[in-house]
mmCIF file of all heavy atoms in Angstrom:
data_model
loop_
_atom_site.group_PDB
_atom_site.id
_atom_site.type_symbol
_atom_site.label_atom_id
_atom_site.label_comp_id
_atom_site.label_asym_id
_atom_site.label_seq_id
_atom_site.Cartn_x
_atom_site.Cartn_y
_atom_site.Cartn_z
ATOM 1 N N ALA A 203 -36.278 12.879 -50.447
ATOM 2 C CA ALA A 203 -34.776 12.599 -50.673
ATOM 3 C C ALA A 203 -33.887 13.529 -49.848
ATOM 4 O O ALA A 203 -32.838 13.144 -49.427
ATOM 5 C CB ALA A 203 -34.437 12.793 -52.172
ATOM 6 N N LEU A 204 -34.306 14.790 -49.695
ATOM 7 C CA LEU A 204 -33.504 15.607 -48.966
ATOM 8 C C LEU A 204 -33.884 15.707 -47.462
ATOM 9 O O LEU A 204 -33.295 16.443 -46.731
ATOM 10 C CB LEU A 204 -33.633 17.041 -49.406
ATOM 11 C CG LEU A 204 -33.192 17.337 -50.873
ATOM 12 C CD1 LEU A 204 -33.385 18.796 -51.347
ATOM 13 C CD2 LEU A 204 -31.741 17.006 -51.095
ATOM 14 N N ALA A 205 -34.839 14.790 -47.069
ATOM 15 C CA ALA A 205 -35.270 14.937 -45.668
ATOM 16 C C ALA A 205 -34.221 14.628 -44.712
ATOM 17 O O ALA A 205 -33.555 13.647 -44.926
ATOM 18 C CB ALA A 205 -36.526 13.993 -45.511
ATOM 19 N N GLY A 206 -34.102 15.439 -43.683
ATOM 20 C CA GLY A 206 -33.267 15.103 -42.518
ATOM 21 C C GLY A 206 -31.753 15.272 -42.890
ATOM 22 O O GLY A 206 -30.919 14.789 -42.008
ATOM 23 N N LEU A 207 -31.479 15.929 -43.982
ATOM 24 C CA LEU A 207 -29.951 15.999 -44.254
ATOM 25 C C LEU A 207 -29.243 16.893 -43.230
ATOM 26 O O LEU A 207 -28.110 16.781 -43.024
ATOM 27 C CB LEU A 207 -29.786 16.572 -45.725
ATOM 28 C CG LEU A 207 -29.595 15.622 -46.816
ATOM 29 C CD1 LEU A 207 -29.200 16.348 -48.035
ATOM 30 C CD2 LEU A 207 -28.499 14.679 -46.486
ATOM 31 N N ARG A 208 -30.113 17.782 -42.653
ATOM 32 C CA ARG A 208 -29.517 18.770 -41.730
ATOM 33 C C ARG A 208 -29.073 17.997 -40.475
ATOM 34 O O ARG A 208 -28.246 18.515 -39.753
ATOM 35 C CB ARG A 208 -30.393 19.873 -41.492
ATOM 36 C CG ARG A 208 -30.234 21.052 -42.384
ATOM 37 C CD ARG A 208 -31.122 22.233 -41.956
ATOM 38 N NE ARG A 208 -32.560 21.802 -41.865
ATOM 39 C CZ ARG A 208 -33.426 22.499 -41.223
ATOM 40 N NH1 ARG A 208 -33.028 23.608 -40.493
ATOM 41 N NH2 ARG A 208 -34.659 22.138 -41.170
ATOM 42 N N ARG A 209 -29.750 16.928 -40.231
ATOM 43 C CA ARG A 209 -29.562 16.291 -38.902
ATOM 44 C C ARG A 209 -28.254 15.457 -38.959
ATOM 45 O O ARG A 209 -27.617 15.190 -37.905
ATOM 46 C CB ARG A 209 -30.652 15.258 -38.573
ATOM 47 C CG ARG A 209 -31.803 15.919 -37.924
ATOM 48 C CD ARG A 209 -32.493 14.820 -37.040
ATOM 49 N NE ARG A 209 -33.849 15.114 -36.826
ATOM 50 C CZ ARG A 209 -34.585 14.409 -36.212
ATOM 51 N NH1 ARG A 209 -34.179 13.196 -35.668
ATOM 52 N NH2 ARG A 209 -35.933 14.708 -36.026
ATOM 53 N N ILE A 210 -27.698 15.102 -40.174
ATOM 54 C CA ILE A 210 -26.583 14.380 -40.227
ATOM 55 C C ILE A 210 -25.427 15.372 -40.182
ATOM 56 O O ILE A 210 -25.108 16.087 -41.066
ATOM 57 C CB ILE A 210 -26.476 13.630 -41.470
ATOM 58 C CG1 ILE A 210 -27.727 12.880 -41.792
ATOM 59 C CG2 ILE A 210 -25.361 12.681 -41.589
ATOM 60 C CD1 ILE A 210 -27.897 12.244 -43.155
ATOM 61 N N ASN A 211 -24.655 15.411 -38.972
ATOM 62 C CA ASN A 211 -23.590 16.254 -38.916
ATOM 63 C C ASN A 211 -22.287 15.544 -39.493
ATOM 64 O O ASN A 211 -22.360 14.473 -39.973
ATOM 65 C CB ASN A 211 -23.318 16.629 -37.543
ATOM 66 C CG ASN A 211 -23.320 15.503 -36.570
ATOM 67 O OD1 ASN A 211 -23.491 14.249 -37.041
ATOM 68 N ND2 ASN A 211 -23.096 15.568 -35.278
ATOM 69 N N LEU A 212 -21.209 16.232 -39.387
ATOM 70 C CA LEU A 212 -19.893 15.720 -39.956
ATOM 71 C C LEU A 212 -19.988 15.356 -41.254
ATOM 72 O O LEU A 212 -20.099 14.312 -41.760
ATOM 73 C CB LEU A 212 -19.667 14.359 -39.092
ATOM 74 C CG LEU A 212 -18.210 14.392 -38.600
ATOM 75 C CD1 LEU A 212 -18.121 14.681 -37.144
ATOM 76 C CD2 LEU A 212 -17.609 12.997 -38.838
ATOM 77 N N GLU A 213 -19.925 16.439 -42.148
ATOM 78 C CA GLU A 213 -19.906 16.247 -43.527
ATOM 79 C C GLU A 213 -18.604 15.928 -44.081
ATOM 80 O O GLU A 213 -18.252 16.257 -45.249
ATOM 81 C CB GLU A 213 -20.494 17.481 -44.234
ATOM 82 C CG GLU A 213 -22.042 17.688 -43.983
ATOM 83 C CD GLU A 213 -22.878 16.582 -44.601
ATOM 84 O OE1 GLU A 213 -22.329 16.040 -45.673
ATOM 85 O OE2 GLU A 213 -24.014 16.449 -44.292
ATOM 86 N N GLY A 214 -17.796 15.139 -43.296
ATOM 87 C CA GLY A 214 -16.494 14.674 -43.848
ATOM 88 C C GLY A 214 -16.793 13.264 -44.418
ATOM 89 O O GLY A 214 -15.868 12.533 -44.721
ATOM 90 N N LEU A 215 -18.010 13.020 -44.734
ATOM 91 C CA LEU A 215 -18.386 11.617 -45.160
ATOM 92 C C LEU A 215 -18.381 11.589 -46.632
ATOM 93 O O LEU A 215 -18.577 12.703 -47.271
ATOM 94 C CB LEU A 215 -19.794 11.242 -44.657
ATOM 95 C CG LEU A 215 -19.989 11.360 -43.160
ATOM 96 C CD1 LEU A 215 -21.457 11.131 -42.888
ATOM 97 C CD2 LEU A 215 -19.132 10.360 -42.491
ATOM 98 N N ARG A 216 -18.170 10.406 -47.245
ATOM 99 C CA ARG A 216 -18.288 10.256 -48.646
ATOM 100 C C ARG A 216 -19.616 9.844 -49.044
ATOM 101 O O ARG A 216 -20.453 9.409 -48.330
ATOM 102 C CB ARG A 216 -17.278 9.175 -49.062
ATOM 103 C CG ARG A 216 -15.917 9.466 -48.812
ATOM 104 C CD ARG A 216 -15.001 8.363 -49.140
ATOM 105 N NE ARG A 216 -15.409 7.051 -48.267
ATOM 106 C CZ ARG A 216 -14.528 6.054 -48.192
ATOM 107 N NH1 ARG A 216 -13.443 6.050 -48.817
ATOM 108 N NH2 ARG A 216 -14.885 5.012 -47.452
ATOM 109 N N TRP A 217 -19.972 10.211 -50.366
ATOM 110 C CA TRP A 217 -21.282 9.821 -50.913
ATOM 111 C C TRP A 217 -21.020 8.713 -51.844
ATOM 112 O O TRP A 217 -20.427 8.810 -52.968
ATOM 113 C CB TRP A 217 -21.813 10.971 -51.674
ATOM 114 C CG TRP A 217 -22.210 12.151 -50.673
ATOM 115 C CD1 TRP A 217 -21.463 12.939 -49.944
ATOM 116 C CD2 TRP A 217 -23.614 12.558 -50.372
ATOM 117 N NE1 TRP A 217 -22.169 13.782 -49.199
ATOM 118 C CE2 TRP A 217 -23.440 13.583 -49.507
ATOM 119 C CE3 TRP A 217 -24.846 12.150 -50.967
ATOM 120 C CZ2 TRP A 217 -24.558 14.232 -49.049
ATOM 121 C CZ3 TRP A 217 -25.925 12.819 -50.479
ATOM 122 C CH2 TRP A 217 -25.838 13.776 -49.571
ATOM 123 N N ARG A 218 -21.474 7.543 -51.494
ATOM 124 C CA ARG A 218 -21.228 6.411 -52.313
ATOM 125 C C ARG A 218 -22.501 5.936 -53.088
ATOM 126 O O ARG A 218 -23.566 5.927 -52.589
ATOM 127 C CB ARG A 218 -20.746 5.160 -51.545
ATOM 128 C CG ARG A 218 -19.982 5.467 -50.355
ATOM 129 C CD ARG A 218 -18.524 5.449 -50.512
ATOM 130 N NE ARG A 218 -17.924 4.278 -51.041
ATOM 131 C CZ ARG A 218 -17.247 3.463 -50.243
ATOM 132 N NH1 ARG A 218 -17.023 3.684 -48.994
ATOM 133 N NH2 ARG A 218 -16.694 2.387 -50.853
ATOM 134 N N VAL A 219 -22.328 5.675 -54.417
ATOM 135 C CA VAL A 219 -23.564 5.313 -55.201
ATOM 136 C C VAL A 219 -23.422 3.809 -55.476
ATOM 137 O O VAL A 219 -22.524 3.316 -55.944
ATOM 138 C CB VAL A 219 -23.377 6.113 -56.503
ATOM 139 C CG1 VAL A 219 -24.635 5.819 -57.306
ATOM 140 C CG2 VAL A 219 -23.475 7.565 -56.125
ATOM 141 N N PHE A 220 -24.610 3.230 -55.173
ATOM 142 C CA PHE A 220 -24.750 1.761 -55.452
ATOM 143 C C PHE A 220 -25.666 1.694 -56.592
ATOM 144 O O PHE A 220 -26.820 2.142 -56.535
ATOM 145 C CB PHE A 220 -25.318 1.073 -54.227
ATOM 146 C CG PHE A 220 -24.343 0.886 -53.197
ATOM 147 C CD1 PHE A 220 -24.193 1.883 -52.260
ATOM 148 C CD2 PHE A 220 -23.743 -0.245 -52.869
ATOM 149 C CE1 PHE A 220 -23.353 1.816 -51.112
ATOM 150 C CE2 PHE A 220 -22.785 -0.309 -51.819
ATOM 151 C CZ PHE A 220 -22.668 0.712 -51.000
ATOM 152 N N ASP A 221 -25.298 0.906 -57.633
ATOM 153 C CA ASP A 221 -26.191 0.663 -58.755
ATOM 154 C C ASP A 221 -26.837 -0.784 -58.420
ATOM 155 O O ASP A 221 -26.183 -1.746 -58.515
ATOM 156 C CB ASP A 221 -25.497 0.664 -60.083
ATOM 157 C CG ASP A 221 -26.470 0.679 -61.150
ATOM 158 O OD1 ASP A 221 -27.699 0.755 -60.975
ATOM 159 O OD2 ASP A 221 -25.981 0.606 -62.394
ATOM 160 N N ALA A 222 -28.221 -0.795 -58.274
ATOM 161 C CA ALA A 222 -28.871 -2.036 -57.883
ATOM 162 C C ALA A 222 -29.281 -2.841 -59.093
ATOM 163 O O ALA A 222 -29.938 -3.810 -59.014
ATOM 164 C CB ALA A 222 -30.074 -1.716 -57.047
ATOM 165 N N LYS A 223 -28.916 -2.353 -60.323
ATOM 166 C CA LYS A 223 -29.449 -3.064 -61.406
ATOM 167 C C LYS A 223 -28.757 -4.341 -61.599
ATOM 168 O O LYS A 223 -27.471 -4.533 -61.741
ATOM 169 C CB LYS A 223 -29.025 -2.195 -62.686
ATOM 170 C CG LYS A 223 -29.748 -2.617 -63.943
ATOM 171 C CD LYS A 223 -29.492 -1.606 -65.067
ATOM 172 C CE LYS A 223 -30.455 -2.027 -66.060
ATOM 173 N NZ LYS A 223 -31.299 -0.857 -66.471
ATOM 174 N N GLY A 224 -29.540 -5.454 -61.600
ATOM 175 C CA GLY A 224 -29.007 -6.795 -61.818
ATOM 176 C C GLY A 224 -28.318 -7.334 -60.657
ATOM 177 O O GLY A 224 -27.740 -8.483 -60.743
ATOM 178 N N GLN A 225 -28.379 -6.643 -59.482
ATOM 179 C CA GLN A 225 -27.763 -7.186 -58.332
ATOM 180 C C GLN A 225 -28.743 -8.052 -57.510
ATOM 181 O O GLN A 225 -29.978 -7.758 -57.562
ATOM 182 C CB GLN A 225 -27.261 -6.097 -57.370
ATOM 183 C CG GLN A 225 -26.253 -5.141 -57.906
ATOM 184 C CD GLN A 225 -25.008 -5.720 -57.962
ATOM 185 O OE1 GLN A 225 -24.718 -6.718 -57.257
ATOM 186 N NE2 GLN A 225 -24.136 -5.171 -58.772
ATOM 187 N N VAL A 226 -28.202 -9.148 -56.905
ATOM 188 C CA VAL A 226 -29.117 -9.927 -56.023
ATOM 189 C C VAL A 226 -29.422 -9.201 -54.714
ATOM 190 O O VAL A 226 -28.641 -8.461 -54.222
ATOM 191 C CB VAL A 226 -28.406 -11.235 -55.688
ATOM 192 C CG1 VAL A 226 -29.382 -12.195 -54.884
ATOM 193 C CG2 VAL A 226 -28.021 -11.911 -56.928
#
Side-chain angles (χ1 to χ4, degrees):
Chain A
L204 298 180
L207 261 189
R208 269 184 305 160
R209 274 209 208 178
I210 310 170
N211 49 356
L212 225 101
E213 289 291 337
L215 307 173
R216 296 178 292 201
W217 290 67
R218 327 266 305 250
V219 179
F220 289 81
D221 192 2
K223 192 171 191 127
Q225 300 282 342
V226 183

